[in-house]
Amino acid sequence: MELFTKEKERRLSAKQKMFPNLRSAVISIAVVVFLLTFAVFAIDRNNVNRLGGYHKSALAELQKVEAHLSLRLGYATTLSSLLGQGENASKLASLVALAEQARSAGEISETYLAMDAVLALLQKELFADAAYRTYAPYFEKMYEEELLLTEVLLSYHAKADYYNRQKHAFPAVLTANRMEMKDLPLFAFSAALKGRP
């Protein structure tokens, strides 16, 4: 029993204190706090740069989408001015006016789909008309823009979706909330584009 007690005392005396004095304890704690603060700052800066890069990349694609939408709307506007009176022609004219005012992705998607349906009916209606050759180039140009729009829209959706997901992941969500970063909008007419023959 005495041997066990002596061994225990020897082990306890062999253990060293973590900090030999108060000064070393204060210095060690200050170093740890500094390193943690630096790490938090570095992670935040990394998130700002990373999210900023994703956002910038997605916005570049969004500008391409808007350019193709604008060109397609321009052709629809010209076609609308060439057409005379008629139910579908007046519908197209009103949709062109709505599309020019649309600002949000939801409004743009809604007017795009409505205009697409009217254009399809109008093309069928005008096909039998003797003046169809006058209108045909505008339908062809709108179709070409639609094909180009399909590619850039897929690219934009991929980048915007990636940015949105990264923005909501921890710890980037803290940076995004602090900087009031908003989600990038997604358009709702991509399914219509994929369904084209």
Side-chain angles (χ1 to χ4, degrees), residues 13-30:
S13 64
K15 287 187 178 178
Q16 302 238 348
K17 291 181 181 178
M18 185 178 271
F19 301 110
N21 56 35
L22 183 63
R23 182 174 180 242
S24 64
V26 169
I27 291 171
S28 298
I29 290 170

Side-chain angles (χ1 to χ4, degrees), residues 4-21:
F4 178 73
T5 317
K6 285 183 181 179
E7 180 65 27
K8 188 176 179 183
E9 286 175 10
R10 191 177 65 77
R11 272 190 272 158
L12 288 174
S13 64
K15 287 187 178 178
Q16 302 238 348
K17 291 181 181 178
M18 185 178 271
F19 301 110
N21 56 35

Side-chain angles (χ1 to χ4, degrees), residues 78-98:
T78 306
L79 180 63
S80 174
S81 64
L82 288 174
L83 292 170
Q85 298 300 319
E87 184 182 343
N88 288 328
S90 61
K91 278 184 189 175
L92 180 61
S94 63
L95 285 170
V96 163
L98 277 174

Side-chain angles (χ1 to χ4, degrees), residues 135-148:
Y135 311 126
Y138 296 100
F139 285 108
E140 288 170 11
K141 285 293 186 184
M142 282 187 277
Y143 180 70
E144 286 172 18
E145 285 305 319
E146 197 170 70
L147 292 176
L148 296 170

Side-chain angles (χ1 to χ4, degrees), residues 79 83 88 118-137 139-140:
L79 180 63
L83 292 170
N88 288 328
V118 169
L119 283 168
L121 291 172
L122 194 58
Q123 189 171 19
K124 287 177 186 175
E125 181 183 296
L126 293 173
F127 189 73
D129 194 323
Y132 181 72
R133 287 186 181 179
T134 308
Y135 311 126
F139 285 108
E140 288 170 11

